[in-house]
Amino acid sequence: AAFLAPLGASQAQERVRVAISNFSASYISMHIAQKRGYYAEEGMVVEIILMAGLTSTRALIGNSVELGSASNPTAAVQGAKLKILMVFNDKPPGMLIAQPAIKSVSDIRGMRIGGSTVGSLEYGWMKELLPKFGLQLEKDVTFVPVGSTSTRFTALRAGTIDASPLSPPSNFLAQDAGFPVLLRTADHLEDIQASIVATDERLARQGDMVRRFMRATVKGKNYYLAHRQEGITAIMEFTRHKDRELMARVYDDHMKTIARDGTIPERLQQIVIDRSKRLTGVTRDVRPEEIFDFSFIRKAQAEVTQSGWKP
């Protein structure tokens, strides 16, 4: 197999593994870039692998994946040499949903609130949200680690928990089933959700691969923003949901939280860092440039625009 194939043929394809925490609309830009051949045009085959947050960070640091995803920079704040390169959502998606008898947040005193794990993203949100309603997580409310958003919806239906933060589509299914919405997370706090992460070492050694990956992902996102119907179809494929009407609600809801250019302002970077510091008990000064590096995404956006490419 030593013959020279024409450029752009499969022999030139570089394999890039990306770990993500769930198959949700948050990561849809990558699915679209893959389906529409944008990664292939950049000479790469991208493999999207499902991995829990902490496992994904370990895999990233251990070089068993090239890129990872994270919804908070706790590992980096604790000193891991990682950078957030692109943010998919610049507002937290989801809602706090409760049993039908519960009418307000203050009603959940003494009750069980379901989340994924202690220290997870929504655990941090609940820790911050509840005091706004005169409650303390762990003191006035019992935190029950249940698992993913769909597992939490099942637990809510079974009555094993009294309330839970749910993200799309579980929050819509819960509403349709008669469970009340106590609050929308984005109305009460600022945060990010879902991002692309790389090690400092990878950026130094494979900056070109990261740039190409970013260019293709930007195209995927721009296509998703520009084409609602195709975007809905893509969500159905990626999340393996058959209900088009439900996925249309997911798409429209995602339009409220999506980071249009993949970056966030420095003010929000600091809010995100400070929240991670509180969660991990880190007291040292952590500057945004230690955690975020938007130079790759900005360059990719500029190159895509300059090339005259249209979604």
Side-chain angles (χ1 to χ4, degrees), residues 60 63 65-68 80-86 196-214 289-297:
L60 192 59
N63 283 324
V65 295
E66 280 71 33
L67 298 164
K81 299 286 178 224
L82 301 170
K83 291 286 184 293
I84 290 178
L85 307 178
M86 176 180 188
I196 292 292
V197 185
T199 60
D200 290 5
E201 189 259 345
R202 174 92 46 204
L203 295 176
R205 190 163 50 85
Q206 280 187 292
D208 181 60
M209 176 276 285
V210 175
R211 269 187 289 280
R212 287 180 288 125
F213 175 85
M214 285 295 180
E289 57 271 24
E290 285 179 59
I291 305 296
F292 297 93
D293 181 354
F294 293 132
S295 64
F296 290 91
I297 183 82

Side-chain angles (χ1 to χ4, degrees), residues 97-109:
I97 294 190
Q99 293 296 347
I102 298 168
K103 298 289 177 255
S104 71
V105 179
S106 48
D107 290 349
I108 63 173
R109 185 180 295 278

Side-chain angles (χ1 to χ4, degrees), residues 21 51-61 69-70 74-75 78 117-118:
S21 56
M51 272 188 203
L54 200 57
T55 317
S56 142
T57 304
R58 288 196 190 114
L60 192 59
I61 293 167
S69 65
T74 49
Q78 287 172 299
T117 55
V118 171

Side-chain angles (χ1 to χ4, degrees), residues 262-294:
T263 74
I264 56 168
E266 197 162 310
R267 189 187 63 82
L268 182 53
Q269 292 175 39
Q270 201 58 62
I271 289 171
V272 170
I273 289 168
D274 292 343
R275 181 175 292 116
S276 281
K277 281 172 65 173
R278 283 195 300 277
L279 268 177
T280 53
V282 168
T283 52
R284 72 180 177 89
D285 187 37
V286 180
R287 298 184 317 282
E289 57 271 24
E290 285 179 59
I291 305 296
F292 297 93
D293 181 354
F294 293 132

Side-chain angles (χ1 to χ4, degrees), residues 42 207-208 210-216 218-219 222 295-310:
E42 295 287 359
D208 181 60
V210 175
R211 269 187 289 280
R212 287 180 288 125
F213 175 85
M214 285 295 180
R215 267 201 304 263
V218 162
K219 288 179 180 177
N222 291 354
S295 64
F296 290 91
I297 183 82
R298 289 198 175 107
K299 195 166 193 306
Q301 297 272 20
E303 286 168 352
V304 169
T305 306
Q306 282 156 11
S307 73
W309 181 89
K310 293 277 179 288

